[in-house]
Amino acid sequence: MKVVVLAGGKSGEREVSLNSGAQVKRALEAGSHQVDQVDLDGETWDLLRDGGYDCAFIALHGRLGEDGTVQGMLQVLGLPYTGSGVLASALCIDKVRTNRILGQAWLCIPEYEEVDPFRVSHERLEGLIRDLGLPLVIKPVREGSTIGLTIAGDIEQAASGLLAAGACDRRVMVQQFEAGTEITVGVLAIPDLQVLPTLEIVSENVVYDYEAKYTAGRSRHIIPARISPAAEKAARSAAERAFVILGCEGMARVDMIVDSEDRPWILEVNTVPGMTELSLLPDAARAAGIEFVELCDRLVQHAVALGPR
């Protein structure tokens, strides 16, 4: 088939997206597809409309790629595309709305509040710390890859963290810190729903931040995660439920913390997870017997089978 890989874009995850796109392109070419990689810009509409493509593989992370925007454009063009549709994409990029929906389904979500980062008084910040405790997690509502994230140990760090997050998004959330084992659970639906093995993240950095994610040697993956059988079952169930409740399609990755009582606390749901050689979902898929070339091919085949949405 003739496939266009959309990568790059304008979000803070641009470089990671370009890397994901390049590796997806190589994998699809290895599967005998004809592939173009396109950077999302003002001329993309005409190229997609006139390019004669059978499918678009979305490797765009963050805003304009993971938030339903490009999905809507592709739907207007009638071009099949990989991954979730407009609604699920828009919901999952918005951590506050994701939390509200999953919390109403009785999944474990750390306590949180959304704030205007530039209008939080000293007294208000003291109240947030009193209610949610220290350390306090501060992050943009609509960013990924821990961009703009701060884990604040005191009120001064919290104040700085609000400004850092506010520089990335006018909407910011502060959240209770949950201690435990950091894991992620990938879910595929291409077409049958498959929950991938749990993957434990061990970071050389204090926080599993942007550097740890994308610098070789700064983190490692342990599959399956070193958690109890009860926690394994609970985490896989929570990932599957989150995927279904939010209406995800194709693939998603659910990031969690498993606490000392085996409870999986959901941190976020990624509908366009990283597809680099260091990325989590491809690693978990390999552990389930799905090599990268097969994974990319199955995502495209599924998208074409779905047709224009």
Side-chain angles (χ1 to χ4, degrees):
M1 288 183 287
K2 188 175 183 182
V3 181
V4 58
V5 176
L6 297 178
K10 300 178 180 179
S11 80
E13 299 176 80
R14 172 179 170 79
E15 294 305 317
V16 178
S17 173
L18 288 170
N19 193 356
S20 286
Q23 296 195 50
V24 168
K25 181 177 185 291
R26 286 196 291 270
L28 291 174
E29 288 173 337
S32 300
H33 298 293
Q34 179 184 345
V35 188
D36 295 330
Q37 181 171 333
V38 173
D39 199 339
L40 190 70
D41 60 25
E43 300 178 0
T44 304
W45 175 277
D46 291 343
L47 190 150
L48 294 177
R49 182 191 61 199
D50 303 329
Y53 295 108
D54 298 298
C55 178
F57 193 112
I58 300 174
L60 291 157
H61 308 311
R63 294 196 204 179
L64 300 183
E66 200 169 350
D67 62 358
T69 304
V70 75
Q71 289 80 2
M73 178 181 71
L74 294 169
Q75 288 188 194
V76 171
L77 289 170
L79 181 60
Y81 58 89
T82 58
S84 293
V86 173
L87 179 57
S89 300
L91 285 174
C92 291
I93 196 73
D94 189 318
K95 299 179 185 67
V96 168
R97 285 170 173 79
T98 296
N99 286 350
R100 287 175 184 166
I101 292 169
L102 297 183
Q104 289 171 354
W106 299 102
L107 290 166
C108 294
I109 305 294
E111 291 293 322
Y112 68 94
E113 287 194 41
E114 181 177 347
V115 300
D116 182 332
F118 304 110
R119 295 187 177 182
V120 178
S121 66
H122 186 83
E123 291 74 19
R124 171 71 169 137
L125 190 51
E126 285 181 327
L128 289 168
I129 291 172
R130 185 170 55 251
D131 294 340
L132 300 175
L134 288 173
L136 187 66
V137 181
I138 303 169
K139 53 190 173 183
V141 170
R142 297 168 294 184
E143 278 288 359
S145 293
T146 63
I147 293 172
L149 178 140
T150 298
I151 298 181
D154 56 40
I155 193 166
E156 288 78 17
Q157 291 177 5
S160 298
L162 287 172
L163 296 178
C168 301
D169 190 353
R170 60 181 175 80
R171 296 177 57 207
V172 169
M173 64 186 293
V174 294
Q175 192 166 34
Q176 181 177 311
F177 177 85
E178 292 293 341
T181 303
E182 187 165 4
I183 72 166
T184 190
V185 183
V187 183
L188 300 178
I190 46 178
D192 297 328
L193 196 146
Q194 178 181 4
V195 181
L196 299 177
T198 56
L199 184 154
E200 179 181 348
I201 301 157
V202 179
S203 174
E204 295 298 319
N205 296 7
V206 176
V207 178
Y208 183 55
D209 56 11
Y210 191 93
E211 181 196 29
K213 288 172 191 272
Y214 303 117
T215 304
R218 299 306 301 171
S219 65
R220 58 191 176 95
H221 306 161
I222 299 173
I223 308 172
R226 296 171 297 180
I227 53 179
S228 72
E232 171 94 11
K233 181 179 179 181
R236 288 167 58 86
S237 174
E240 180 177 352
R241 289 182 62 204
F243 186 95
V244 172
I245 289 166
L246 293 166
C248 298
E249 298 174 84
M251 62 176 170
R253 198 191 74 230
V254 185
D255 298 339
M256 309 179 193
I257 294 290
V258 176
D259 69 15
S260 59
E261 297 182 5
D262 291 341
R263 287 175 298 200
W265 295 87
I266 294 179
L267 304 180
E268 62 180 281
V269 179
N270 300 273
T271 55
V272 186
M275 299 290 275
T276 74
E277 73 272 12
L278 300 178
S279 295
L280 302 166
L281 185 129
D283 210 4
R286 277 190 292 271
I290 306 171
E291 292 299 327
F292 190 60
V293 170
E294 180 188 353
L295 174 63
C296 293
D297 181 70
R298 286 176 60 184
L299 286 162
V300 167
Q301 298 285 357
H302 176 62
V304 172
L306 284 178
R309 303 188 209 178

